[in-house]
Amino acid sequence: MSVEPKELYYQDLVLDHNNQQGTGGSSTMYEKHFSSSLIPSGSTAYDSQAFDPSYMSFTECLQGGMDYNSLATSFGLSPSSSEVFSSVEGNQKPPEGDVAGGSETLATLNSSISSSSSEAGAEEDSGKSKKDRQVKTEEGGEISKKGNKDKKKGEKKQKEPRFAFMTKSEVDHLEDGYRWRKYGQKAVKNSPYPRSYYRCTTQKCTVKKRVERSFQDPTTVITTYEGQHNHPVPTSLRGNAAAGMFTPSLLATPTPLAAGSNFPQDLFLHMHHPHSHIHNTLFTTQSTNATTAATTPSSIYSHNNINNPLLHTHYLPPEYGLLQDIVPSIFQNKTHHQN
DNA sequence: CGAGTTTGACCCGCGC
DNA sequence: GCGCGGGTCAAACTCG
């Protein structure tokens, strides 16, 4: 439920089971995050350091149309930060805007989620190639893989921008206003909890998300979004109150850019959903070569600002557009622990 | 019957 | 080259 954040805490968290670099995932992901005081005091996962008000809150960033990278920067992930690693991947614009403020929000900027998946456009390709693979094998099999490889060969596999966040929740799959279809589940190494894979069921929407429970803190659900919704939140969703809550905002967002990036929105849908059981959420961001302009009117989520005084700490500088192009390089400096 | 889930098999990238 | 682990597919199954 949404509770107004009273104060934020800031801390480091190790999440090595969450790293997504595919294989060998042995690198550790460090996250820096902010958590609201909604977290029951005493919660081991979130402690300490005082929140520096000079940092922009996640919500604020989003409201300002901030992209992943800028977000990270705003959260104090300075280029010199040794605690936060990040990977900059994907060429897509970051999911900016579309978010309402985060009561119960813990923001994290992290990184290290590297990844393995394909980007939106590529996804269809990969899907196809897989089908090819199948067909070919049936036909006496040859080459299906080849096609795949050829495709990847020349160009590096593009990666979707990812956006991860941790949520204190009793339920694994959080309602976020979109419709998801589960397409896989895998056991996670070193974790008793499986990871579930979901795809947005909307036609042509290639957004995927992974949901897993933190083995370190079973009360925490880690959700990683990949890709960007190219459609608004389906309002007719099984009576989804959250969807209804945000759809108007979405519709009010005139720019295609905004319409195409709903991550944060998902997030907040989670947080505000009356039945979400969410106690706390922490954000993680990664990737992108942000080229998106700040497009989301802050007024869209003004109600959150009202509820959260911290959201007024800062706003995006007018030159944000430029920063977007700069920030990624900053992140790259921190990707030392992985590629 | 359509939509969504489960689950075993398979592919792929990466480290050794 | 091999093995491991993550990610995806798709047939079978479940549910409304």
Side-chain angles (χ1 to χ4, degrees), chain A residues 1-35:
Chain A
M1 284 307 297
S2 33
V3 179
E4 297 178 18
K6 285 147 191 147
E7 58 182 300
L8 298 175
Y9 294 97
Y10 171 41
Q11 87 175 69
D12 294 331
L13 171 70
V14 177
L15 268 177
D16 60 358
H17 74 294
N18 189 40
N19 76 61
Q20 323 254 348
Q21 60 272 44
T23 304
S26 52
S27 61
T28 297
M29 172 169 80
Y30 293 90
E31 300 192 2
K32 235 178 198 191
H33 42 115
F34 296 97
S35 65

PDB file of all heavy atoms in Angstrom, chain A residues 1-35:
ATOM      1  N   MET A   1       0.825  -1.184   0.000  1.00  0.00           N
ATOM      2  CA  MET A   1       0.000   0.000   0.000  1.00  0.00           C
ATOM      3  C   MET A   1       0.858   1.232   0.000  1.00  0.00           C
ATOM      4  O   MET A   1       1.981   1.237   0.388  1.00  0.00           O
ATOM      5  CB  MET A   1      -0.827   0.008   1.275  1.00  0.00           C
ATOM      6  CG  MET A   1      -1.945  -0.952   1.220  1.00  0.00           C
ATOM      7  SD  MET A   1      -2.927  -0.711  -0.207  1.00  0.00           S
ATOM      8  CE  MET A   1      -3.510   0.926   0.111  1.00  0.00           C
ATOM      9  N   SER A   2       0.276   2.228  -0.414  1.00  0.00           N
ATOM     10  CA  SER A   2       1.127   3.378  -0.451  1.00  0.00           C
ATOM     11  C   SER A   2       1.123   4.111   0.861  1.00  0.00           C
ATOM     12  O   SER A   2       0.106   4.456   1.403  1.00  0.00           O
ATOM     13  CB  SER A   2       0.695   4.312  -1.539  1.00  0.00           C
ATOM     14  OG  SER A   2      -0.639   4.271  -1.685  1.00  0.00           O
ATOM     15  N   VAL A   3       2.252   4.313   1.278  1.00  0.00           N
ATOM     16  CA  VAL A   3       2.425   5.025   2.516  1.00  0.00           C
ATOM     17  C   VAL A   3       3.353   6.144   2.153  1.00  0.00           C
ATOM     18  O   VAL A   3       4.230   5.984   1.348  1.00  0.00           O
ATOM     19  CB  VAL A   3       3.133   4.130   3.535  1.00  0.00           C
ATOM     20  CG1 VAL A   3       3.322   4.894   4.807  1.00  0.00           C
ATOM     21  CG2 VAL A   3       2.312   2.881   3.728  1.00  0.00           C
ATOM     22  N   GLU A   4       3.138   7.210   2.740  1.00  0.00           N
ATOM     23  CA  GLU A   4       4.004   8.307   2.369  1.00  0.00           C
ATOM     24  C   GLU A   4       5.366   8.138   2.982  1.00  0.00           C
ATOM     25  O   GLU A   4       5.511   7.833   4.140  1.00  0.00           O
ATOM     26  CB  GLU A   4       3.405   9.613   2.871  1.00  0.00           C
ATOM     27  CG  GLU A   4       2.077   9.869   2.207  1.00  0.00           C
ATOM     28  CD  GLU A   4       1.478  11.129   2.741  1.00  0.00           C
ATOM     29  OE1 GLU A   4       2.238  11.915   3.316  1.00  0.00           O
ATOM     30  OE2 GLU A   4       0.275  11.314   2.590  1.00  0.00           O
ATOM     31  N   PRO A   5       6.314   8.328   2.178  1.00  0.00           N
ATOM     32  CA  PRO A   5       7.664   8.202   2.672  1.00  0.00           C
ATOM     33  C   PRO A   5       7.965   9.339   3.608  1.00  0.00           C
ATOM     34  O   PRO A   5       7.641  10.465   3.333  1.00  0.00           O
ATOM     35  CB  PRO A   5       8.508   8.283   1.421  1.00  0.00           C
ATOM     36  CG  PRO A   5       7.654   8.917   0.420  1.00  0.00           C
ATOM     37  CD  PRO A   5       6.234   8.649   0.787  1.00  0.00           C
ATOM     38  N   LYS A   6       8.548   9.008   4.663  1.00  0.00           N
ATOM     39  CA  LYS A   6       8.870  10.076   5.582  1.00  0.00           C
ATOM     40  C   LYS A   6      10.318  10.454   5.503  1.00  0.00           C
ATOM     41  O   LYS A   6      10.711  11.573   5.658  1.00  0.00           O
ATOM     42  CB  LYS A   6       8.512   9.648   6.978  1.00  0.00           C
ATOM     43  CG  LYS A   6       7.015   9.701   7.153  1.00  0.00           C
ATOM     44  CD  LYS A   6       6.559   8.630   8.100  1.00  0.00           C
ATOM     45  CE  LYS A   6       5.059   8.512   8.049  1.00  0.00           C
ATOM     46  NZ  LYS A   6       4.607   7.171   8.257  1.00  0.00           N
ATOM     47  N   GLU A   7      11.078   9.516   5.273  1.00  0.00           N
ATOM     48  CA  GLU A   7      12.470   9.869   5.124  1.00  0.00           C
ATOM     49  C   GLU A   7      13.143   8.748   4.353  1.00  0.00           C
ATOM     50  O   GLU A   7      12.644   7.662   4.256  1.00  0.00           O
ATOM     51  CB  GLU A   7      13.150  10.061   6.463  1.00  0.00           C
ATOM     52  CG  GLU A   7      13.079   8.847   7.348  1.00  0.00           C
ATOM     53  CD  GLU A   7      13.749   9.150   8.667  1.00  0.00           C
ATOM     54  OE1 GLU A   7      14.949   9.478   8.635  1.00  0.00           O
ATOM     55  OE2 GLU A   7      13.099   9.061   9.701  1.00  0.00           O
ATOM     56  N   LEU A   8      14.234   9.068   3.834  1.00  0.00           N
ATOM     57  CA  LEU A   8      14.892   8.065   3.026  1.00  0.00           C
ATOM     58  C   LEU A   8      16.222   7.670   3.617  1.00  0.00           C
ATOM     59  O   LEU A   8      16.899   8.441   4.247  1.00  0.00           O
ATOM     60  CB  LEU A   8      15.131   8.609   1.613  1.00  0.00           C
ATOM     61  CG  LEU A   8      13.873   8.961   0.868  1.00  0.00           C
ATOM     62  CD1 LEU A   8      14.242   9.601  -0.447  1.00  0.00           C
ATOM     63  CD2 LEU A   8      13.059   7.719   0.626  1.00  0.00           C
ATOM     64  N   TYR A   9      16.536   6.471   3.373  1.00  0.00           N
ATOM     65  CA  TYR A   9      17.824   5.988   3.811  1.00  0.00           C
ATOM     66  C   TYR A   9      18.560   5.520   2.591  1.00  0.00           C
ATOM     67  O   TYR A   9      17.986   5.213   1.576  1.00  0.00           O
ATOM     68  CB  TYR A   9      17.644   4.826   4.794  1.00  0.00           C
ATOM     69  CG  TYR A   9      16.995   5.273   6.046  1.00  0.00           C
ATOM     70  CD1 TYR A   9      15.620   5.104   6.202  1.00  0.00           C
ATOM     71  CD2 TYR A   9      17.717   5.932   7.034  1.00  0.00           C
ATOM     72  CE1 TYR A   9      14.994   5.549   7.344  1.00  0.00           C
ATOM     73  CE2 TYR A   9      17.095   6.367   8.165  1.00  0.00           C
ATOM     74  CZ  TYR A   9      15.727   6.177   8.326  1.00  0.00           C
ATOM     75  OH  TYR A   9      15.112   6.608   9.445  1.00  0.00           O
ATOM     76  N   TYR A  10      19.774   5.417   2.786  1.00  0.00           N
ATOM     77  CA  TYR A  10      20.610   5.154   1.659  1.00  0.00           C
ATOM     78  C   TYR A  10      21.594   4.067   2.030  1.00  0.00           C
ATOM     79  O   TYR A  10      22.100   4.025   3.105  1.00  0.00           O
ATOM     80  CB  TYR A  10      21.308   6.473   1.442  1.00  0.00           C
ATOM     81  CG  TYR A  10      22.389   6.496   0.475  1.00  0.00           C
ATOM     82  CD1 TYR A  10      22.268   5.813  -0.722  1.00  0.00           C
ATOM     83  CD2 TYR A  10      23.511   7.236   0.730  1.00  0.00           C
ATOM     84  CE1 TYR A  10      23.284   5.926  -1.635  1.00  0.00           C
ATOM     85  CE2 TYR A  10      24.497   7.336  -0.183  1.00  0.00           C
ATOM     86  CZ  TYR A  10      24.389   6.681  -1.364  1.00  0.00           C
ATOM     87  OH  TYR A  10      25.368   6.803  -2.256  1.00  0.00           O
ATOM     88  N   GLN A  11      21.779   3.156   1.196  1.00  0.00           N
ATOM     89  CA  GLN A  11      22.681   2.113   1.568  1.00  0.00           C
ATOM     90  C   GLN A  11      23.199   1.238   0.450  1.00  0.00           C
ATOM     91  O   GLN A  11      22.860   1.395  -0.690  1.00  0.00           O
ATOM     92  CB  GLN A  11      21.961   1.204   2.447  1.00  0.00           C
ATOM     93  CG  GLN A  11      21.315   0.283   1.536  1.00  0.00           C
ATOM     94  CD  GLN A  11      20.640  -0.776   2.291  1.00  0.00           C
ATOM     95  OE1 GLN A  11      19.720  -0.519   2.916  1.00  0.00           O
ATOM     96  NE2 GLN A  11      21.090  -1.906   2.256  1.00  0.00           N
ATOM     97  N   ASP A  12      24.016   0.376   0.823  1.00  0.00           N
ATOM     98  CA  ASP A  12      24.589  -0.505  -0.176  1.00  0.00           C
ATOM     99  C   ASP A  12      24.058  -1.898   0.044  1.00  0.00           C
ATOM    100  O   ASP A  12      23.820  -2.307   1.139  1.00  0.00           O
ATOM    101  CB  ASP A  12      26.101  -0.568  -0.022  1.00  0.00           C
ATOM    102  CG  ASP A  12      26.690   0.772  -0.325  1.00  0.00           C
ATOM    103  OD1 ASP A  12      26.091   1.510  -1.117  1.00  0.00           O
ATOM    104  OD2 ASP A  12      27.715   1.073   0.251  1.00  0.00           O
ATOM    105  N   LEU A  13      23.917  -2.525  -1.005  1.00  0.00           N
ATOM    106  CA  LEU A  13      23.391  -3.867  -0.877  1.00  0.00           C
ATOM    107  C   LEU A  13      24.089  -4.771  -1.872  1.00  0.00           C
ATOM    108  O   LEU A  13      24.366  -4.402  -2.975  1.00  0.00           O
ATOM    109  CB  LEU A  13      21.896  -3.838  -1.195  1.00  0.00           C
ATOM    110  CG  LEU A  13      21.238  -5.197  -1.322  1.00  0.00           C
ATOM    111  CD1 LEU A  13      21.174  -5.826   0.050  1.00  0.00           C
ATOM    112  CD2 LEU A  13      19.861  -5.040  -1.895  1.00  0.00           C
ATOM    113  N   VAL A  14      24.340  -5.896  -1.436  1.00  0.00           N
ATOM    114  CA  VAL A  14      24.989  -6.829  -2.324  1.00  0.00           C
ATOM    115  C   VAL A  14      23.949  -7.799  -2.823  1.00  0.00           C
ATOM    116  O   VAL A  14      23.188  -8.339  -2.075  1.00  0.00           O
ATOM    117  CB  VAL A  14      26.049  -7.640  -1.584  1.00  0.00           C
ATOM    118  CG1 VAL A  14      26.650  -8.637  -2.534  1.00  0.00           C
ATOM    119  CG2 VAL A  14      27.091  -6.688  -1.055  1.00  0.00           C
ATOM    120  N   LEU A  15      23.968  -7.997  -4.055  1.00  0.00           N
ATOM    121  CA  LEU A  15      22.970  -8.872  -4.637  1.00  0.00           C
ATOM    122  C   LEU A  15      23.602  -9.766  -5.666  1.00  0.00           C
ATOM    123  O   LEU A  15      23.284  -9.716  -6.817  1.00  0.00           O
ATOM    124  CB  LEU A  15      21.968  -8.016  -5.370  1.00  0.00           C
ATOM    125  CG  LEU A  15      20.773  -7.592  -4.595  1.00  0.00           C
ATOM    126  CD1 LEU A  15      19.974  -6.717  -5.487  1.00  0.00           C
ATOM    127  CD2 LEU A  15      20.010  -8.786  -4.160  1.00  0.00           C
ATOM    128  N   ASP A  16      24.474 -10.536  -5.275  1.00  0.00           N
ATOM    129  CA  ASP A  16      25.170 -11.253  -6.329  1.00  0.00           C
ATOM    130  C   ASP A  16      24.321 -12.304  -7.001  1.00  0.00           C
ATOM    131  O   ASP A  16      24.615 -12.742  -8.071  1.00  0.00           O
ATOM    132  CB  ASP A  16      26.440 -11.880  -5.792  1.00  0.00           C
ATOM    133  CG  ASP A  16      26.136 -12.829  -4.698  1.00  0.00           C
ATOM    134  OD1 ASP A  16      24.952 -12.959  -4.351  1.00  0.00           O
ATOM    135  OD2 ASP A  16      27.040 -13.442  -4.208  1.00  0.00           O
ATOM    136  N   HIS A  17      23.292 -12.672  -6.395  1.00  0.00           N
ATOM    137  CA  HIS A  17      22.498 -13.701  -7.055  1.00  0.00           C
ATOM    138  C   HIS A  17      21.663 -13.079  -8.144  1.00  0.00           C
ATOM    139  O   HIS A  17      21.096 -13.741  -8.960  1.00  0.00           O
ATOM    140  CB  HIS A  17      21.563 -14.347  -6.067  1.00  0.00           C
ATOM    141  CG  HIS A  17      20.443 -13.455  -5.731  1.00  0.00           C
ATOM    142  ND1 HIS A  17      20.628 -12.285  -5.065  1.00  0.00           N
ATOM    143  CD2 HIS A  17      19.135 -13.528  -6.045  1.00  0.00           C
ATOM    144  CE1 HIS A  17      19.448 -11.699  -4.939  1.00  0.00           C
ATOM    145  NE2 HIS A  17      18.544 -12.425  -5.526  1.00  0.00           N
ATOM    146  N   ASN A  18      21.634 -11.818  -8.093  1.00  0.00           N
ATOM    147  CA  ASN A  18      20.773 -11.163  -9.053  1.00  0.00           C
ATOM    148  C   ASN A  18      21.460 -10.736 -10.321  1.00  0.00           C
ATOM    149  O   ASN A  18      20.859 -10.205 -11.222  1.00  0.00           O
ATOM    150  CB  ASN A  18      20.178  -9.930  -8.393  1.00  0.00           C
ATOM    151  CG  ASN A  18      19.112  -9.335  -9.258  1.00  0.00           C
ATOM    152  OD1 ASN A  18      18.336 -10.062  -9.845  1.00  0.00           O
ATOM    153  ND2 ASN A  18      19.074  -8.034  -9.345  1.00  0.00           N
ATOM    154  N   ASN A  19      22.673 -10.963 -10.371  1.00  0.00           N
ATOM    155  CA  ASN A  19      23.310 -10.418 -11.554  1.00  0.00           C
ATOM    156  C   ASN A  19      22.816 -11.196 -12.739  1.00  0.00           C
ATOM    157  O   ASN A  19      22.559 -12.365 -12.712  1.00  0.00           O
ATOM    158  CB  ASN A  19      24.809 -10.477 -11.433  1.00  0.00           C
ATOM    159  CG  ASN A  19      25.287 -11.850 -11.661  1.00  0.00           C
ATOM    160  OD1 ASN A  19      25.088 -12.397 -12.729  1.00  0.00           O
ATOM    161  ND2 ASN A  19      25.902 -12.422 -10.672  1.00  0.00           N
ATOM    162  N   GLN A  20      22.686 -10.473 -13.779  1.00  0.00           N
ATOM    163  CA  GLN A  20      22.061 -11.095 -14.917  1.00  0.00           C
ATOM    164  C   GLN A  20      23.011 -11.309 -16.046  1.00  0.00           C
ATOM    165  O   GLN A  20      22.620 -11.425 -17.172  1.00  0.00           O
ATOM    166  CB  GLN A  20      20.981 -10.167 -15.405  1.00  0.00           C
ATOM    167  CG  GLN A  20      20.324  -9.516 -14.284  1.00  0.00           C
ATOM    168  CD  GLN A  20      18.982 -10.097 -14.076  1.00  0.00           C
ATOM    169  OE1 GLN A  20      18.501 -10.826 -14.909  1.00  0.00           O
ATOM    170  NE2 GLN A  20      18.360  -9.810 -13.001  1.00  0.00           N
ATOM    171  N   GLN A  21      24.219 -11.296 -15.761  1.00  0.00           N
ATOM    172  CA  GLN A  21      25.080 -11.374 -16.913  1.00  0.00           C
ATOM    173  C   GLN A  21      25.098 -12.726 -17.520  1.00  0.00           C
ATOM    174  O   GLN A  21      26.019 -13.129 -18.154  1.00  0.00           O
ATOM    175  CB  GLN A  21      26.480 -10.984 -16.569  1.00  0.00           C
ATOM    176  CG  GLN A  21      27.056 -11.852 -15.533  1.00  0.00           C
ATOM    177  CD  GLN A  21      26.735 -11.325 -14.187  1.00  0.00           C
ATOM    178  OE1 GLN A  21      25.629 -10.930 -13.901  1.00  0.00           O
ATOM    179  NE2 GLN A  21      27.685 -11.303 -13.334  1.00  0.00           N
ATOM    180  N   GLY A  22      24.114 -13.386 -17.352  1.00  0.00           N
ATOM    181  CA  GLY A  22      24.083 -14.617 -18.043  1.00  0.00           C
ATOM    182  C   GLY A  22      24.975 -15.606 -17.410  1.00  0.00           C
ATOM    183  O   GLY A  22      24.692 -16.174 -16.412  1.00  0.00           O
ATOM    184  N   THR A  23      26.009 -15.824 -17.908  1.00  0.00           N
ATOM    185  CA  THR A  23      26.783 -16.894 -17.464  1.00  0.00           C
ATOM    186  C   THR A  23      27.689 -16.660 -16.365  1.00  0.00           C
ATOM    187  O   THR A  23      28.075 -15.638 -16.015  1.00  0.00           O
ATOM    188  CB  THR A  23      27.657 -17.215 -18.555  1.00  0.00           C
ATOM    189  OG1 THR A  23      26.843 -17.438 -19.520  1.00  0.00           O
ATOM    190  CG2 THR A  23      28.485 -18.242 -18.261  1.00  0.00           C
ATOM    191  N   GLY A  24      28.085 -17.658 -15.879  1.00  0.00           N
ATOM    192  CA  GLY A  24      29.107 -17.579 -14.947  1.00  0.00           C
ATOM    193  C   GLY A  24      28.854 -16.544 -13.938  1.00  0.00           C
ATOM    194  O   GLY A  24      29.652 -16.292 -13.099  1.00  0.00           O
ATOM    195  N   GLY A  25      27.780 -15.977 -13.974  1.00  0.00           N
ATOM    196  CA  GLY A  25      27.491 -14.860 -13.150  1.00  0.00           C
ATOM    197  C   GLY A  25      28.179 -14.913 -11.842  1.00  0.00           C
ATOM    198  O   GLY A  25      27.619 -15.271 -10.810  1.00  0.00           O
ATOM    199  N   SER A  26      29.352 -14.507 -11.838  1.00  0.00           N
ATOM    200  CA  SER A  26      30.016 -14.574 -10.572  1.00  0.00           C
ATOM    201  C   SER A  26      30.282 -13.198 -10.041  1.00  0.00           C
ATOM    202  O   SER A  26      30.693 -13.031  -8.922  1.00  0.00           O
ATOM    203  CB  SER A  26      31.326 -15.298 -10.756  1.00  0.00           C
ATOM    204  OG  SER A  26      32.013 -14.693 -11.789  1.00  0.00           O
ATOM    205  N   SER A  27      30.054 -12.242 -10.828  1.00  0.00           N
ATOM    206  CA  SER A  27      30.342 -10.923 -10.327  1.00  0.00           C
ATOM    207  C   SER A  27      29.256 -10.519  -9.364  1.00  0.00           C
ATOM    208  O   SER A  27      28.151 -11.000  -9.393  1.00  0.00           O
ATOM    209  CB  SER A  27      30.384  -9.935 -11.470  1.00  0.00           C
ATOM    210  OG  SER A  27      29.152  -9.902 -12.085  1.00  0.00           O
ATOM    211  N   THR A  28      29.628  -9.683  -8.529  1.00  0.00           N
ATOM    212  CA  THR A  28      28.673  -9.265  -7.539  1.00  0.00           C
ATOM    213  C   THR A  28      28.051  -7.943  -7.908  1.00  0.00           C
ATOM    214  O   THR A  28      28.711  -7.053  -8.380  1.00  0.00           O
ATOM    215  CB  THR A  28      29.398  -9.084  -6.208  1.00  0.00           C
ATOM    216  OG1 THR A  28      29.898 -10.346  -5.832  1.00  0.00           O
ATOM    217  CG2 THR A  28      28.454  -8.575  -5.162  1.00  0.00           C
ATOM    218  N   MET A  29      26.855  -7.877  -7.676  1.00  0.00           N
ATOM    219  CA  MET A  29      26.193  -6.623  -8.007  1.00  0.00           C
ATOM    220  C   MET A  29      26.030  -5.825  -6.736  1.00  0.00           C
ATOM    221  O   MET A  29      25.482  -6.268  -5.763  1.00  0.00           O
ATOM    222  CB  MET A  29      24.827  -6.904  -8.609  1.00  0.00           C
ATOM    223  CG  MET A  29      24.053  -5.636  -8.786  1.00  0.00           C
ATOM    224  SD  MET A  29      22.605  -5.902  -9.762  1.00  0.00           S
ATOM    225  CE  MET A  29      21.521  -6.577  -8.582  1.00  0.00           C
ATOM    226  N   TYR A  30      26.516  -4.687  -6.796  1.00  0.00           N
ATOM    227  CA  TYR A  30      26.361  -3.829  -5.651  1.00  0.00           C
ATOM    228  C   TYR A  30      25.313  -2.816  -5.999  1.00  0.00           C
ATOM    229  O   TYR A  30      25.291  -2.280  -7.070  1.00  0.00           O
ATOM    230  CB  TYR A  30      27.652  -3.099  -5.363  1.00  0.00           C
ATOM    231  CG  TYR A  30      28.725  -4.022  -4.912  1.00  0.00           C
ATOM    232  CD1 TYR A  30      29.571  -4.627  -5.827  1.00  0.00           C
ATOM    233  CD2 TYR A  30      28.860  -4.305  -3.557  1.00  0.00           C
ATOM    234  CE1 TYR A  30      30.547  -5.482  -5.403  1.00  0.00           C
ATOM    235  CE2 TYR A  30      29.840  -5.159  -3.133  1.00  0.00           C
ATOM    236  CZ  TYR A  30      30.693  -5.756  -4.053  1.00  0.00           C
ATOM    237  OH  TYR A  30      31.657  -6.604  -3.635  1.00  0.00           O
ATOM    238  N   GLU A  31      24.501  -2.565  -5.096  1.00  0.00           N
ATOM    239  CA  GLU A  31      23.497  -1.575  -5.374  1.00  0.00           C
ATOM    240  C   GLU A  31      23.505  -0.547  -4.288  1.00  0.00           C
ATOM    241  O   GLU A  31      23.761  -0.812  -3.150  1.00  0.00           O
ATOM    242  CB  GLU A  31      22.122  -2.213  -5.386  1.00  0.00           C
ATOM    243  CG  GLU A  31      22.042  -3.269  -6.440  1.00  0.00           C
ATOM    244  CD  GLU A  31      20.617  -3.676  -6.638  1.00  0.00           C
ATOM    245  OE1 GLU A  31      19.747  -3.102  -5.994  1.00  0.00           O
ATOM    246  OE2 GLU A  31      20.405  -4.550  -7.456  1.00  0.00           O
ATOM    247  N   LYS A  32      23.197   0.578  -4.737  1.00  0.00           N
ATOM    248  CA  LYS A  32      23.099   1.651  -3.798  1.00  0.00           C
ATOM    249  C   LYS A  32      21.656   1.999  -3.843  1.00  0.00           C
ATOM    250  O   LYS A  32      21.101   2.150  -4.882  1.00  0.00           O
ATOM    251  CB  LYS A  32      23.869   2.831  -4.322  1.00  0.00           C
ATOM    252  CG  LYS A  32      24.865   3.256  -3.321  1.00  0.00           C
ATOM    253  CD  LYS A  32      25.659   4.382  -3.842  1.00  0.00           C
ATOM    254  CE  LYS A  32      26.872   4.443  -2.985  1.00  0.00           C
ATOM    255  NZ  LYS A  32      27.634   5.553  -3.142  1.00  0.00           N
ATOM    256  N   HIS A  33      21.069   2.053  -2.791  1.00  0.00           N
ATOM    257  CA  HIS A  33      19.698   2.437  -2.919  1.00  0.00           C
ATOM    258  C   HIS A  33      19.194   3.283  -1.793  1.00  0.00           C
ATOM    259  O   HIS A  33      19.791   3.430  -0.776  1.00  0.00           O
ATOM    260  CB  HIS A  33      18.806   1.245  -3.073  1.00  0.00           C
ATOM    261  CG  HIS A  33      19.130   0.131  -2.196  1.00  0.00           C
ATOM    262  ND1 HIS A  33      18.317  -0.311  -1.230  1.00  0.00           N
ATOM    263  CD2 HIS A  33      20.221  -0.654  -2.143  1.00  0.00           C
ATOM    264  CE1 HIS A  33      18.857  -1.339  -0.633  1.00  0.00           C
ATOM    265  NE2 HIS A  33      20.003  -1.562  -1.159  1.00  0.00           N
ATOM    266  N   PHE A  34      18.080   3.790  -2.079  1.00  0.00           N
ATOM    267  CA  PHE A  34      17.442   4.637  -1.112  1.00  0.00           C
ATOM    268  C   PHE A  34      16.233   3.855  -0.667  1.00  0.00           C
ATOM    269  O   PHE A  34      15.616   3.185  -1.431  1.00  0.00           O
ATOM    270  CB  PHE A  34      16.947   5.909  -1.775  1.00  0.00           C
ATOM    271  CG  PHE A  34      18.074   6.699  -2.308  1.00  0.00           C
ATOM    272  CD1 PHE A  34      18.425   6.604  -3.640  1.00  0.00           C
ATOM    273  CD2 PHE A  34      18.811   7.485  -1.452  1.00  0.00           C
ATOM    274  CE1 PHE A  34      19.478   7.333  -4.114  1.00  0.00           C
ATOM    275  CE2 PHE A  34      19.857   8.222  -1.938  1.00  0.00           C
ATOM    276  CZ  PHE A  34      20.198   8.149  -3.271  1.00  0.00           C
ATOM    277  N   SER A  35      15.954   3.988   0.536  1.00  0.00           N
ATOM    278  CA  SER A  35      14.753   3.314   0.942  1.00  0.00           C
ATOM    279  C   SER A  35      13.962   4.261   1.795  1.00  0.00           C
ATOM    280  O   SER A  35      14.484   5.123   2.448  1.00  0.00           O
ATOM    281  CB  SER A  35      15.097   2.086   1.751  1.00  0.00           C
ATOM    282  OG  SER A  35      15.721   2.473   2.938  1.00  0.00           O
TER     283      SER A  35
END
